[in-house]
């Protein structure tokens, strides 16, 4: 059965086709000006959902990188502090060896006692090292000074007993300890025989004008233990640096995937836009021929 085509039908179809053509040009123009494939989620729900996932992954990666930076700052501060502790111990050993010289007078030994006292005070300052207002050798009690100069009858001692680790998540379900167990450094081998009690014994002997060379072996033990702790810390630093490199590479990969998902191919968009412009001009030309002439056209 034949269908009767009226002028109104021709006009309606022409206007609808022109509208679709203009809508396609508007979409391409938006892509060209924004550089993005979509302007709103309804344009392509799949692209929008993937974009949300990639952005969420980037935010997580950025937080992991911040955690890694914090861990590295703690470890760097810890390592530099332990290095200075080692320098103090080396100077103490020099004094112990020197005190064994039979030509040293009791007055000189008493002067050495004063230097050892100053070195002990400096060691206490190192034990109370802070970063961002937190004590790095206090375990999880980061708001309490681990070394108390008034402890042990005013002689000063390491009073902290907290050995809990401070863990930060540097990747999904991957945690890294940012601090060390300070009990293994300042309370080695135990609180009754730690480095500060050893220095108290050295000070007592030197103050009495006696040699303190008998404590050389104990000082060597303290120094060897310190080197072992620094070696363990160095291994942790190497691991954190590898994690940081992986996070940087992961950020580049996620950014690339997000770009492929959302960014428009500018060359293709420009080509499509020129093609659509030609199609639109052709549609306008054909539409002008479709519109039926009126009486006014003949009167001109």
């Amino acid at each position: 059965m034949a269908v009767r085509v009226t002028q109104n039908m021709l006009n309606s179809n022409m206007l609808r086709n022109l509208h679709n053509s203009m809508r396609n040009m508007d979409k391409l123009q938006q892509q060209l000006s924004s550089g993005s494939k979509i302007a709103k989620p309804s344009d392509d729900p799949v692209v929008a959902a993937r974009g949300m996932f990639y952005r969420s992954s980037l935010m997580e990666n950025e937080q992991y990188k911040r955690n890694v930076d914090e861990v590295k700052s703690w470890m760097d501060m810890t390592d530099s502090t332990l290095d200075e502790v080692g320098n103090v111990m080396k100077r103490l050993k020099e004094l112990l060896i020197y005190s064994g010289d039979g030509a040293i007078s009791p007055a000189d030994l008493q002067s050495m006692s004063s230097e050892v006292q100053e070195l002990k005070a400096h060691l206490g300052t190192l034990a109370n090292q802070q970063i961002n207002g937190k004590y790095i050798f206090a375990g999880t009690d980061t708001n309490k000074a681990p070394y108390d100069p008034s402890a042990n009858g005013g002689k000063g001692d390491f009073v902290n007993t907290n050995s809990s680790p401070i863990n930060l998540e540097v990747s999904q379900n991957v945690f890294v300890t940012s601090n060390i167990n300070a009990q293994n450094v300042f309370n080695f081998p135990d609180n009754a025989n730690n480095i500060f009690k050893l220095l108290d014994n050295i000070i007592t002997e030197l103050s009495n004008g006696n040699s303190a060379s008998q404590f050389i072996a104990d000082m060597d033990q303290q120094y060897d233990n310190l080197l072992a702790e620094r070696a363990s810390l160095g291994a942790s630093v190497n691991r954190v640096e590898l994690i940081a490199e992986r996070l940087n590479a992961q950020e580049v990969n996620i950014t690339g995937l997000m770009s492929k998902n959302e960014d428009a191919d500018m060359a293709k968009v420009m080509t499509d836009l020129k093609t659509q412009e030609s199609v639109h001009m052709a549609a306008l030309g054909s539409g002008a021929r479709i519109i039926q002439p009126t009486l006014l056209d003949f009167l001109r």
Side-chain angles (χ1 to χ4, degrees):
M1 182 178 65
V3 178
R4 180 172 179 268
V5 178
T6 65
Q7 184 63 40
N8 287 336
M9 293 174 60
L10 291 174
N11 294 341
S12 298
N13 289 335
M14 180 198 68
L15 293 175
R16 183 173 62 253
N17 292 333
L18 287 176
H19 176 72
N20 291 336
S21 177
M22 294 178 66
R23 183 172 57 189
N24 291 336
M25 282 200 303
D26 178 65
K27 180 179 179 181
L28 292 171
Q29 194 277 334
Q30 285 185 354
Q31 292 181 3
L32 193 61
S33 60
S34 65
S36 178
K37 292 180 182 178
I38 61 174
K40 52 185 181 297
S42 60
D43 292 341
D44 193 328
V46 175
V47 171
R50 288 178 179 173
M52 293 175 61
F53 171 76
Y54 292 139
R55 280 179 170 77
S56 177
S57 299
L58 274 179
M59 292 176 61
E60 291 179 1
N61 196 76
E62 284 296 326
Q63 183 60 56
Y64 291 145
K65 289 177 64 177
R66 285 191 290 269
N67 289 352
V68 166
D69 290 339
E70 183 173 354
V71 171
K72 289 176 65 176
S73 64
W74 272 69
M75 289 184 172
D76 290 343
M77 177 63 72
T78 302
D79 186 61
S80 62
T81 304
L82 293 182
D83 181 64
E84 194 167 350
V85 170
N87 293 334
V88 170
M89 289 183 178
K90 286 189 287 187
R91 176 55 183 166
L92 287 169
K93 183 177 179 181
E94 291 176 359
L95 293 174
L96 293 177
I97 295 174
Y98 186 45
S99 70
D101 189 343
I104 299 298
S105 66
D108 293 333
L109 292 175
Q110 291 174 356
S111 297
M112 292 171 58
S113 172
S114 298
E115 183 177 353
V116 174
Q117 184 71 48
E118 293 299 324
L119 290 174
K120 179 189 175 183
H122 182 59
L123 197 62
T125 301
L126 295 176
N128 284 341
Q129 181 65 54
Q130 300 181 62
I131 182 171
N132 297 328
K134 299 179 181 179
Y135 294 98
I136 64 176
F137 296 120
T140 53
D141 294 331
T142 56
N143 60 336
K144 298 179 181 179
Y147 176 81
D148 185 2
S150 62
N152 192 22
K155 296 180 180 180
D157 196 9
F158 194 83
V159 297
N160 180 272
T161 58
N162 190 315
S163 59
S164 301
I166 299 176
N167 296 323
L168 289 177
E169 189 173 8
V170 295
S171 188
Q172 189 171 10
N173 297 324
V174 177
F175 295 85
V176 171
T177 302
S178 61
N179 64 334
I180 66 168
N181 185 358
Q183 306 301 316
N184 297 335
V185 177
F186 298 103
N187 266 340
F188 174 82
D190 52 58
N191 181 261
N193 301 282
N194 64 17
I195 181 66
F196 297 103
K197 300 287 178 43
L198 175 60
L199 294 182
D200 288 338
N201 295 333
I202 294 173
I203 292 171
T204 300
E205 289 295 325
L206 294 176
S207 298
N208 294 330
N210 301 322
S211 171
S213 59
Q214 66 271 24
F215 298 108
I216 292 178
D218 294 332
M219 186 59 63
D220 285 338
Q221 186 182 17
Q222 291 284 344
Y223 186 71
D224 291 341
N225 174 71
L226 177 67
L227 292 180
E229 289 297 321
R230 288 194 67 187
S232 177
L233 177 63
S236 299
V237 170
N238 291 336
R239 182 193 177 194
V240 171
E241 289 178 349
L242 291 174
I243 293 175
E245 293 178 1
R246 180 174 58 81
L247 289 175
N248 289 332
Q250 189 169 335
E251 181 181 15
V252 173
N253 292 335
I254 296 174
T255 303
L257 291 173
M258 187 170 66
S259 176
K260 290 180 181 179
N261 179 66
E262 296 181 358
D263 293 349
D265 185 346
M266 304 307 289
K268 183 177 182 300
V269 173
M270 293 178 67
T271 302
D272 292 344
L273 181 59
K274 294 298 294 183
T275 302
Q276 189 61 41
E277 287 178 356
S278 300
V279 171
H280 187 69
M281 294 302 296
L284 288 174
S286 63
R289 289 188 292 270
I290 289 175
I291 298 177
Q292 185 176 0
T294 64
L295 180 61
L296 295 177
D297 292 313
F298 291 101
L299 295 176
R300 282 185 297 189

